[in-house]
Amino acid sequence: MTLLGSFALWAAFLLGCWSAGLSFFGNWRENPATALAVRRGVYAVCAALLVATLSLWKGIFSHDFNIEYVWAYTSRNLPEYYLISAFWAGQKGSMLFWAVVLSIFAALAQALTSQRHKDLLPYVAGVTNLVVIFFVGVMLFAHHSNPFERMAVTPPDGNGLNPQLQNPGMVMHPPMLYLGYISITIPFAFGIAAMLAGKLDAGWIIAMRKWALASWIFLSVGITLGMWWAYVELGWGGVWAWDPVENASLHPWLVLTAFLHSVMIQEKRGMLKRWNMGLVVGAFLLSIFGTFITRSGVISSVHSFTQSDIGYYFLAFLLVSAILSFTLLYTRWPSLEAEVQLESLVSRESAFLFNNLALVGIAFSVLWGTLFPIVSEAVRGTKISVGPPFFNRVNVPLGLLLLFLTGVGPLIAWRKASMANLQRQFILPTAGFVLTAAVLLVAGLRSFYALMSLALAGFVMVTIVQEFQRGVRARMSMYQENIFLALVHLVERNRRRYGGYIVHVGIVIYFVAFTGLAFKTEKSVDLTPGETATIHSPFGYDYTLTARGVSQYVMLNRKVTAATLAVTRNGKRIGDIKSEKRQHMDSFGNDTFEPSTEVGIISDLREDLYVVYAGSIDGTERAHFTFHVNPMVSWFWIGGAILTLGGILAMWPGGPQVRTRRRRSAAQAGYSVPLAGVAE
Amino acid sequence: MTSSRRDFLQYAALGVLPMLWQGGAPQDTTKKPGGGVTPDRLGEPMLGGRLVDSTDKWDNDAGIIAIEQRLRCRCGCMLDVYTCRTTDFTCTYSPTMHREVIALVVAKKTPEQVIQAFIASDGEKVLMAPRASGFNIAGYIVPGVAVTVIGLVLAAYLSRRRTVAIAVGAGAVPGAPAPVSGPDQEQLDRLKRALDEVES
C-alpha cells in the first residue's frame, strides 16, 4: 500500500507539472485538443491523489503500524469513526487531505463551469495544479513529510489519537475548515485566470461566485464546529480564545465576507473591480498564511502541529504567490477601472464600501494582534503576549461598527438615497434600537458595550424583519398570495438577497450570544457525596448541585473516573450531570497520553450549567469541581445553523437568472420596450 | 475485564455499606478497577490524574481571580492563570502561580504591585495583554486609527466628488437653458440595466 501510495503521489506530481506547463505555455487557444489535455490532466491528478488517499486509509484501517503515520495517530482499540478522522489528525495526513480535496475541487471546477467561460478554464487548471503540486511536492521533498514513510520495525500497537481529538466535533471541524481554506483556491484561480486571459468583465465573477460562497459556508461551519469542540472538550467554558490558529481561520472568513458584499456592487454597477480582485487574492494568501501559522511554529499556539521545517516551504510559497499575484494585478490595473463612479455618499454602494472597510479592518486588526508579539520583539527586543483582553479591547468597537453597518446597508437605496427614503427606512429600526436599549437599561444592564451590542442587534433584526415584511406585503397585494406563499415566493425569487438577510440573522444571534457569555458566573467547590453547593445564574436562578459519588470503570479504549451530581434549579429537579476524567490506554492496557477531562453540560436556550470534575481530594470520593453558568451558549449553535442555512439558500441553484431569461422570452410576445440607441 | 461472582458480591457489599454509613445518601456502586476499596476511597486514586488540593476561600475570591486573569500561565497553554487552574488539572504551574498571587495579596500588596512582581520575575510576557504604554500603544491603536482614517478619507473623497459634480452643474450660465445632449453610452447601459431589473 505504501508503494502504491508513494507511486500515486509521484504520478500526481508529474501529471500536475505537465498539465500546469501545458496550461501556461501550451497553444490551447488555437488547438482545442490541448485545452482538453489540460482538463484531462486535472482529472488525472485527482485520480492519482484519490489512489494515494485510499492507500493511506487502507493502511489506517488495517492497522499497518509499519507506516509511521498510522503508528503515530491510531491504535488497535481506537473506535472506527476516529480512524476516519486520524487521516487528518497529523501534519502529513492533513497535507494529503488538502491536496486530494483541492484536486477534487479543481476537477469539479473544470466539469461544472459553463463553456461560456472556456477561455478561463485552462488557466484555472494551471493555477489549481500549481497549488496541488506545491502540496504534493512538500510531501515528497520536505524532511519527514511523506505520509507513507515506513518504520524500521513494526510496533505491535500504535500510539493512539490524542484524547482531545477523540470527540465528534473533531471528526467534522478540521475537514470543514480545510474545505473552506482549500476551496478558496478556486475563486483565486478564476481571478488569476481572468487577469491572465485579459477577460476582466463580470464573467469570472459569475463563474466563481458560488465557489466563493461555498468556501464561506465551509469556513463558517468549520469555525462554528471549532467553537463547539472547544466548548465541550477543553473544559474552560468558553468558545473563542483568540488563539493564533483560531485567528488564522477568521482572516479568510472576514475577507471572503467582504468580497461577497462588494462583488454585488461589481455585478450591479461595474464598480470595485480592483478591490474585488484584491480581496480574492488576499483571501487565498490568508488561507495559506493560516496554514503557515499552524505548521511553522513561528507563533506559539495550542493548536499547532509540531514544529518542523515545513513552515519555510509555506513561507516561500506565500511570498512567491503574493509577489506574482500582486504583480499581475498591477499590470492589469488599467483594465480593472470602474465602469461607473459612485454617485453619493448616502447610497447602498457607499454603505457596502464602509461595510467592507469594517470587515477588512477587523481582519487586519486580528492579523495585527496575532503578529504583534513578533513586531514588538523585533522593535523592542522584549517578548510579550497578546491574549483575549487585547483582542477584545481592539475588536469589540470594530465589531459594533460592523453590526451597525449590517443594519444600515439594506436600508439605503442604490445610487443615491433621498431624505424621504432615509426617514421611511430608518424610523422602525431606530425605534427597535431605542426600545431595546431602554428595556435593557430598565432591567439593570449598565455595561456600555453589552448595551450597544444588544441594542444594535435589535436595530438589525428590525431592519431584516422590515425587509421581509415589505417584500411579503408587496407580493400579497400584487399577486393576491397568502402570507405564507408570499414569503416562500419572495425568498425563492431572490435567494441571494433573502439568503443574505438570513445570514445576517445568524450574525446578530452570534453577537447576542457573545454578549451573553460575557456575563458567565463560575465557582470552585469541594463536595463529598451527599453534600450540596449552590451557584447563582445571571438570569436569577439558583442551581443546587448534590454530589452523588465518584465511580470508576473501563470503557472502550479508556479508564473512566466519573463524578455525578444531582441538579435542581430553584428547587425543581432538572436531572443529573456527569463529568469525567479519562485515562486512555492502548490495546495492552498501557496508559497513553495525560488524563483528559470531559465536562458535563445541562443546556437550555437561556443558559448552560457546565460542570468540570477537577479531580479527587486525598484519593477519596471527595471531589473538586468547577461550576460555570454560561448564558446564551445555545445561541451560538442556533446562530451558526441559521447562518449556514442562509448561505446555502443564497447559493442554491436556479433562482432569478433562469427565471429572468424565461420571462424575457415570454415578454417579447406581449410587449416591447423601445430603447433608442441601446444596441441589443 | 471480567469479574468473578466473589468480586461481584464484594462490590455489592461495598456499595451498600456507604449507603448505610451515610444515612442512605446516593452512592455509585460501580468501583471496578482496583477492587477491595474502602467506602470513601477510590479504587485507583491516580486514574484521573494528580490529586488536587482542597478549595480554600481564595479560590473564589474576586480580587484574586481578577489578578490571575491578567497573568499568563507559565506552562505555555496560552491561558490565564485562573482559567488554567480551573481547566487544565494536569498543569502544575498554575496552582503554583495561584499560591504566589495569594502570598502577595496576603502580604498586603495591591493588585498593581502583584502584577509588577510577576513582571519583575517573568518579564512582560507574563501579562495576558501588553500594557498600553510606549511602543505597545501602537498595538492597541493602529487598527482603530487605520479604519478611522481610511473611513474619513473615503467619506471626504466621496463628499468632495459630489460637491464637484454639483459645482460643475452650477457653473452653467444662469437662466440659460440646460445644454441638450443625447445620453451617453454609460447612461444608456444604466437605463438598460434598470429596465432589466424592473423586468426581473
Side-chain angles (χ1 to χ4, degrees):
Chain A
M1 273 298 141
T2 51
L3 202 62
L4 181 62
S6 295
F7 174 77
L9 282 185
W10 272 105
F13 183 76
L14 295 172
L15 282 164
C17 288
W18 170 76
S19 178
L22 216 53
S23 312
F24 294 113
F25 306 111
N27 63 337
W28 49 264
R29 281 189 195 79
E30 287 79 35
N31 186 0
T34 311
L36 189 63
V38 170
R39 177 182 288 206
R40 286 180 177 165
V42 174
Y43 297 152
V45 170
C46 178
L49 286 172
L50 281 172
V51 170
T53 300
L54 291 175
S55 302
L56 185 58
W57 250 321
K58 174 78 172 65
I60 289 172
F61 277 93
S62 61
H63 300 304
D64 184 354
F65 297 119
N66 191 250
I67 303 172
E68 194 271 345
Y69 186 80
V70 177
W71 168 81
Y73 295 100
T74 69
S75 57
R76 289 187 190 281
N77 59 359
L78 187 67
E80 284 192 359
Y81 38 92
Y82 294 129
L83 287 177
I84 297 171
S85 58
F87 184 84
W88 50 76
Q91 174 128 279
K92 301 170 185 178
S94 67
M95 294 283 289
L96 179 56
F97 184 74
W98 189 297
V100 72
V101 172
L102 179 53
S103 72
I104 292 169
F105 284 160
L108 287 174
Q110 293 292 322
L112 300 178
T113 304
S114 161
Q115 281 305 301
R116 274 184 297 157
H117 311 294
K118 65 180 179 191
D119 289 349
L120 300 178
L121 286 177
Y123 283 133
V124 171
V127 175
T128 51
N129 268 331
L130 281 181
V131 182
V132 172
I133 290 166
F134 166 73
F135 278 90
V136 177
V138 169
M139 281 185 274
L140 289 174
F141 303 119
H143 177 63
H144 198 53
S145 295
N146 191 325
F148 299 104
E149 200 175 309
R150 283 206 172 271
M151 296 168 76
V153 291
T154 305
D157 199 358
N159 195 38
L161 189 65
N162 185 321
Q164 291 191 327
L165 303 183
Q166 294 186 39
N167 176 286
M170 265 293 143
V171 179
M172 291 304 294
H173 157 63
M176 278 294 162
L177 214 50
Y178 283 139
L179 290 179
Y181 280 143
I182 297 164
S183 52
I184 292 174
T185 309
I186 305 298
F188 169 74
F190 272 102
I192 296 292
M195 289 196 283
L196 285 171
K199 291 195 166 293
L200 293 162
D201 53 10
W204 75 276
I205 294 277
I206 293 164
M208 52 63 74
R209 195 171 53 199
K210 290 198 171 171
W211 282 103
L213 199 48
S215 298
W216 184 88
I217 292 170
F218 285 135
L219 279 176
S220 303
V221 174
I223 290 170
T224 308
L225 283 174
M227 288 160 64
W228 180 75
W229 170 77
Y231 184 68
V232 302
E233 189 61 34
L234 297 184
W236 60 288
V239 296
W240 192 266
W242 295 108
D243 179 88
V245 171
E246 289 176 350
N247 296 348
S249 68
L250 205 55
H251 299 140
W253 185 86
L254 286 163
V255 173
L256 266 182
T257 309
F259 175 76
L260 290 171
H261 284 86
S262 61
V263 81
M264 281 188 265
I265 303 180
Q266 182 168 347
E267 284 178 64
K268 279 190 182 291
R269 309 272 288 130
M271 298 158 70
L272 299 181
K273 290 180 179 178
R274 292 165 179 161
W275 176 249
N276 285 330
M277 195 62 87
L279 287 179
V280 164
V281 171
F284 172 75
L285 295 176
L286 285 169
S287 76
I288 299 295
F289 175 77
T291 315
F292 164 67
I293 290 268
T294 317
R295 291 157 203 277
S296 64
V298 67
I299 298 170
S300 47
S301 160
V302 287
H303 293 74
S304 301
F305 289 104
T306 48
Q307 214 163 331
S308 74
D309 63 348
I310 211 170
Y312 296 111
Y313 287 84
F314 276 93
L315 187 60
F317 183 65
L318 183 66
L319 290 174
V320 170
S321 303
I323 291 166
L324 290 179
S325 305
F326 286 118
T327 305
L328 187 60
L329 183 57
Y330 177 74
T331 60
R332 299 294 187 268
W333 199 253
S335 314
L336 287 163
E337 199 172 349
E339 290 163 28
V340 293
Q341 299 295 319
L342 215 142
E343 290 169 40
S344 168
L345 182 61
V346 190
S347 63
R348 188 171 295 186
E349 295 91 318
S350 183
F352 273 32
L353 210 53
F354 283 101
N355 154 297
N356 260 240
L357 177 64
L359 283 163
V360 175
I362 295 171
F364 168 70
S365 160
V366 177
L367 185 64
W368 173 250
T370 308
L371 296 177
F372 193 66
I374 299 173
V375 175
S376 178
E377 193 174 355
V379 173
R380 298 170 57 219
T382 310
K383 284 192 175 181
I384 59 161
S385 309
V386 173
F390 174 93
F391 285 102
N392 291 338
R393 195 164 157 187
V394 174
N395 288 305
V396 167
L398 291 173
L400 293 179
L401 172 69
L402 180 65
L403 186 57
F404 171 68
L405 291 169
T406 304
V408 167
L411 296 177
I412 305 181
W414 288 100
R415 294 193 190 90
K416 186 180 178 181
S418 65
M419 191 50 80
N421 166 271
L422 290 178
Q423 278 177 351
R424 192 169 63 93
Q425 291 283 67
F426 272 87
I427 191 153
L428 277 177
T430 308
F433 174 87
V434 173
L435 191 68
T436 312
V439 168
L440 292 169
L441 276 170
V442 170
L445 186 66
R446 292 292 178 269
S447 160
F448 173 75
Y449 281 135
L451 194 67
M452 286 304 290
S453 173
L454 296 173
L456 283 172
F459 171 78
V460 181
M461 282 306 286
V462 174
T463 301
I464 297 164
V465 171
Q466 179 175 277
E467 286 295 301
F468 272 95
Q469 182 254 353
R470 285 192 176 150
V472 166
R473 262 179 53 188
R475 283 202 70 89
M476 286 169 73
S477 81
M478 282 169 72
Y479 301 105
Q480 282 74 50
E481 291 173 339
N482 66 42
I483 187 165
F484 176 73
L485 213 56
L487 180 65
V488 170
H489 284 160
L490 180 76
V491 176
E492 193 195 9
R493 296 275 161 138
N494 204 337
R495 290 173 192 163
R496 273 179 83 191
R497 180 176 175 182
Y498 290 96
Y501 288 151
I502 292 170
V503 169
H504 283 188
V505 172
I507 294 291
V508 169
I509 291 173
Y510 262 127
F511 270 88
V512 172
F514 270 114
T515 308
L517 197 53
F519 295 93
K520 64 187 284 191
T521 54
E522 294 160 300
K523 188 176 191 178
S524 296
V525 293
D526 300 336
L527 293 177
T528 302
E531 285 184 345
T532 62
T534 301
I535 182 166
H536 192 66
S537 94
F539 279 101
Y541 300 107
D542 282 321
Y543 289 93
T544 303
L545 296 102
T546 307
R548 301 193 63 187
V550 178
S551 55
Q552 294 188 310
Y553 50 88
V554 175
M555 189 179 171
L556 291 173
N557 57 347
R558 55 189 180 260
K559 298 173 208 165
V560 179
T561 304
T564 308
L565 301 116
V567 184
T568 64
R569 181 164 56 202
N570 284 359
K572 188 180 171 192
R573 184 169 160 74
I574 58 169
D576 286 346
I577 196 165
K578 184 173 78 170
S579 173
E580 298 176 0
K581 288 280 179 195
R582 291 179 178 176
Q583 175 60 65
H584 283 76
M585 55 189 179
D586 62 20
S587 52
F588 299 106
N590 301 317
D591 292 350
T592 54
F593 302 101
E594 289 282 309
S596 60
T597 308
E598 290 294 311
V599 301
I601 302 172
I602 291 181
S603 183
D604 67 20
L605 290 177
R606 283 164 301 202
E607 58 197 10
D608 283 12
L609 177 66
Y610 186 99
V611 171
V612 185
Y613 166 50
S616 162
I617 296 168
D618 299 331
T620 66
E621 282 194 279
R622 183 165 177 76
H624 183 81
F625 295 96
T626 304
F627 301 146
H628 304 245
V629 181
N630 299 327
M632 312 294 287
V633 172
S634 297
W635 292 94
F636 282 111
W637 328 132
I638 294 168
I642 290 174
L643 184 129
T644 308
L645 192 73
I648 291 170
L649 189 67
M651 74 172 288
W652 199 258
Q657 288 91 350
V658 175
R659 237 169 248 109
T660 303
R661 277 201 301 276
R662 207 178 294 147
R663 267 208 307 277
R664 265 188 212 145
S665 59
Q668 282 166 5
Y671 67 92
S672 63
V673 181
L675 273 172
V678 177
E680 283 295 323
Chain B
M1 295 296 290
T2 55
S3 298
S4 66
R5 186 169 41 185
R6 186 175 176 169
D7 286 339
F8 174 79
L9 291 170
Q10 194 176 24
Y11 293 143
L14 288 169
V16 170
L17 273 176
M19 291 180 72
L20 297 173
W21 185 260
Q22 296 189 11
Q27 286 288 298
D28 203 299
T29 57
T30 55
K31 297 181 207 68
K32 282 183 184 171
V37 295
T38 55
D40 204 24
R41 190 152 186 87
L42 296 177
E44 288 189 42
M46 299 301 289
L47 197 61
R50 68 178 177 82
L51 302 180
V52 294
D53 298 331
S54 295
T55 308
D56 60 33
K57 64 169 185 170
W58 299 108
D59 285 0
N60 292 308
D61 184 277
I64 297 281
I65 291 171
I67 294 170
E68 289 179 353
Q69 283 175 335
R70 293 171 64 188
L71 297 171
R72 170 158 293 195
C73 180
R74 292 175 186 135
C75 72
C77 64
M78 318 281 291
L79 298 170
D80 63 70
V81 172
Y82 171 71
T83 309
C84 186
R85 75 173 168 83
T86 55
T87 302
D88 179 3
F89 305 103
T90 59
C91 177
T92 53
Y93 292 89
S94 54
T96 307
M97 291 178 83
H98 174 55
R99 282 192 291 273
E100 287 173 28
V101 172
I102 293 171
L104 288 165
V105 170
V106 168
K108 305 285 183 206
K109 301 283 184 194
T110 64
E112 208 47 47
Q113 286 171 326
V114 175
I115 298 291
Q116 277 300 342
F118 274 93
I119 293 174
S121 65
D122 294 67
E124 275 183 59
K125 67 177 187 300
V126 78
L127 298 176
M128 283 300 286
R131 288 172 180 277
S133 61
F135 178 74
N136 291 337
I137 291 176
Y140 285 98
I141 65 169
V142 162
V145 167
V147 170
T148 308
V149 168
I150 295 171
L152 288 174
V153 168
L154 200 63
Y157 172 72
L158 295 173
S159 306
R160 188 173 159 272
R161 279 232 334 246
R162 187 166 154 264
T163 314
V164 169
I166 291 166
V168 168
V173 179
V180 179
S181 62
D184 61 16
Q185 191 57 43
E186 182 192 306
Q187 287 169 316
L188 290 170
D189 286 346
R190 199 187 307 156
L191 177 61
K192 185 172 185 304
R193 274 202 298 273
L195 281 168
D196 284 348
E197 277 178 24
V198 170
E199 274 197 304
S200 67

